[in-house]
Amino acid sequence: MTTKEIIAVAKNDPKKTKEALDQKLIELKVAGFRILECILYVRHNQDCALRDAMEITINSSAWKNEEEEFLKQQEEQTQEFLEAAKDDIKSIKQTFSPNGEEIEIFIKNKS
């Protein structure tokens, strides 16, 4: 299923309760959806921020046992990006709040 198709399905489904969403994530996983596709579904079905969709998905019964591996993979990808882009990065701003950590990366002008 393409990204556009997942978004269309998510938006056409009625907004789900926590329990119904948990069941839907199990159904999606059984149907072959990967975790990122489930996060996309949650983001658009629940009309929430990407960070919230990720938290809902990785804490669901469908994906809870894979949370640690997913978060490790995300951290590795972030480090790979930072290493690959180090010459283009002007600055990085990291903010910690009760809602979590936010990282802003400012890229140098190419002109």
Side-chain angles (χ1 to χ4, degrees):
M1 204 173 238
T2 68
T3 299
K4 287 181 181 181
E5 291 170 332
I6 295 168
I7 292 169
V9 167
K11 287 183 175 184
N12 288 327
D13 278 353
K15 188 173 181 178
K16 302 203 176 304
T17 65
K18 183 178 179 180
E19 295 79 20
L21 185 58
D22 196 68
Q23 183 59 41
K24 181 67 175 187
L25 290 171
I26 292 169
E27 292 170 12
L28 293 174
K29 186 176 182 183
V30 168
F33 278 55
R34 295 168 298 189
I35 193 166
L36 293 175
E37 294 166 328
C38 288
I39 292 169
L40 181 63
Y41 174 89
V42 170
R43 180 168 185 244
H44 290 280
N45 179 259
Q46 298 296 296
D47 192 27
C48 63
L50 183 57
R51 178 179 290 281
D52 295 335
M54 184 182 79
E55 298 256 340
I56 291 167
T57 304
I58 64 175
N59 289 310
S60 70
S61 58
W63 294 101
K64 185 65 177 164
N65 62 339
E66 298 179 42
E67 174 185 14
E68 187 176 319
E69 182 181 333
F70 174 74
L71 293 176
K72 180 181 174 190
Q73 180 186 35
Q74 293 296 302
E75 178 62 29
E76 288 171 356
Q77 288 177 339
T78 299
Q79 293 306 317
E80 285 178 23
F81 165 77
L82 291 174
E83 180 61 28
K86 68 183 175 189
D87 294 334
D88 297 326
I89 295 174
K90 179 178 176 181
S91 65
I92 299 174
K93 178 182 172 187
Q94 191 169 14
T95 307
F96 297 96
S97 71
N99 295 331
E101 177 184 5
E102 183 176 312
I103 298 174
E104 291 180 84
I105 299 172
F106 301 92
I107 304 296
K108 296 175 186 173
N109 277 338
K110 297 277 184 174
S111 49

